[in-house]
Amino acid sequence: MTSLPPAPAASPPAPPGDRTAPHDSELRSGLKNRHLSMIAIGGVIGAGLFVGSASGIAAAGPGILLSYALVGTLVVMVMRMLGEMAAADPTSGSFSAYADRALGRWAGFSIGWLYWFFWVVVLAVEATAGAVILNGWIPAVPQWGWALIVMTVLTATNLASVASFGEFEFWFAGIKVVAIAAFIGLGALAIFGVLPGSDNAATDFGNLTSHGGFLPNGPSAILTGVLMVVFSFMGSEIVTLAAGESKDPQRAVAKATKSVIWRVGVFYLGSILVVVSLLPWNDPSIEKKGSYVAALDSIGIPHAGQVMNVIVLTAVLSCLNSGLYTASRMAFSLSRRGDAPKAFARTNGRGVPQAAILASVVFGFVAVGFNYLWPDTVFQFLLNSSGAVALFVWLVICFSQLRMRGIILRENPEKLIVRMWLFPYLTWVTIAMISFILVYMLTDDSPGGGRIQVLLSVLLAVLVVGVSLVRERWGAQARHQRHH
């Protein structure tokens, strides 16, 4: 696959709160509309959907559909708010830059670094997951060798140009989309008994209620399911970071924001509905093989396990590719605002923030090392301390939008082309829902469960906010001394 040539240098406006942007710090508008469309679709489909849905089904039964619907609604709300701000002012810092402007420099600094940390840890998780699959196919190369190869190839892709990142992501996301669409299509035919050669007796939707009812483990299992599925939605916000490197960012953001409803509905609810309709929710094959493999096996698709491994590997590589991109662009934006080393804001001749990419990769490699050397201690600590960051990001987006609506109306009302519905009421409802999930997580005291994730993530957030406030105070004192 050949990467597209980089587009001519663009000169987008400086991000909100831009303080120290050097002359060679412009990104290039190398992403095409088809790249952004597929990044928007693919960003919603994480590897967690393929791998993690089995445990959710086991916990909540067919009621897991309500868990996905609840979290999907949250994502739609948050993306609408983010879309409102991003369409008015597209920037590579996205919600971190808006928090900087709406809530204060401490908020932009803190959520930016927490988000960067989250994706660096994700790099290690996904590199290891990809290495496990590849090692199963070619055991002659050790797992750590595959992790190294995967990280190196995708680092090279990101360093080449933003267009090469976009092209890789276009194909990775395309494979995921086609796979899920085919899965839903075949599954629907089997459910209604019209799939030729299917091994699965036509069930219509009887399995949704015939094995202990729609909520076999009670209504509380819906919330348990929410905790299990909420993190598989992380990544939907990536399109708003990428939009800053496209030729028509306002149009791209508006389109992505408006289409998030059908994306969540089709890919998450549609595919999970197929699984729990084809098989009884308590069928042991769901947890043993994974929900999608078990469903494919039930209708007689040959080599279902290997087919799904290819798709999961694609999802993993897509997550790695976009995670590296996202971490580097957040580091770039932080540097532009004076909140990260100046080198992170410099771009090379291809308009790529090379130092920001390499720094993110180095920390990703360190985390991979921790995963192999101390998987149950150091790496588990990293995982847990980044566990609730997604929810913190969503909360910050909500609070930023409450303030940014007034700023946009005051300064550039014509740019308010995407509006949050029923403002501010739905924004406050979303804040309440996210807060409730965080509080409910505290009731989960299982090893590596919600309570430890929230507590360690809060501890990390307090440390980062503390660093931010100390920096601000030192900066204020330094400015005061210079004036006198």
Side-chain angles (χ1 to χ4, degrees), residues 190-322:
I191 290 167
F192 294 111
V194 291
L195 180 67
S198 172
D199 296 344
N200 194 301
T203 57
D204 293 330
F205 295 102
N207 279 330
L208 295 180
T209 54
S210 58
H211 300 275
F214 186 69
L215 293 170
N217 297 327
S220 63
I222 297 170
L223 289 173
T224 306
V226 164
L227 301 190
M228 292 180 165
V229 306
V230 68
F231 301 107
S232 64
F233 282 85
M234 193 64 172
S236 50
E237 70 291 330
I238 291 172
V239 68
T240 63
L241 282 88
E245 291 177 80
S246 69
K247 289 186 176 66
D248 190 357
Q250 279 90 354
R251 179 176 171 274
V253 167
K255 188 177 173 186
T257 305
K258 288 170 183 172
S259 65
V260 74
I261 298 175
W262 73 259
R263 286 186 273 131
V264 167
V266 171
F267 296 127
Y268 278 85
L269 291 175
S271 61
I272 297 299
L273 176 61
V274 166
V275 173
V276 292
S277 298
L278 281 174
L279 292 165
W281 69 271
N282 53 1
D283 189 310
S285 68
I286 292 178
E287 281 209 272
K288 184 180 175 186
K289 300 176 182 176
S291 47
Y292 289 81
V293 174
L296 289 172
D297 273 344
S298 78
I299 57 178
I301 300 294
H303 311 295
Q306 287 305 324
V307 170
M308 194 50 62
N309 268 343
V310 172
I311 296 165
V312 170
L313 179 63
T314 305
V316 163
L317 294 176
S318 170
C319 192
L320 261 174
N321 192 39
S322 54

Side-chain angles (χ1 to χ4, degrees), residues 114 117-118 231 381-392 438 441 449-465:
L114 284 171
F117 173 72
F118 171 86
F231 301 107
F381 173 81
L382 291 180
L383 269 183
N384 289 336
S385 57
S386 66
V389 166
L391 294 168
F392 295 168
L438 282 167
M441 284 175 75
R451 179 181 297 174
I452 191 69
Q453 288 184 27
V454 170
L455 293 177
L456 287 180
S457 296
V458 166
L459 177 63
L460 180 66
V462 168
L463 286 172
V464 175
V465 171

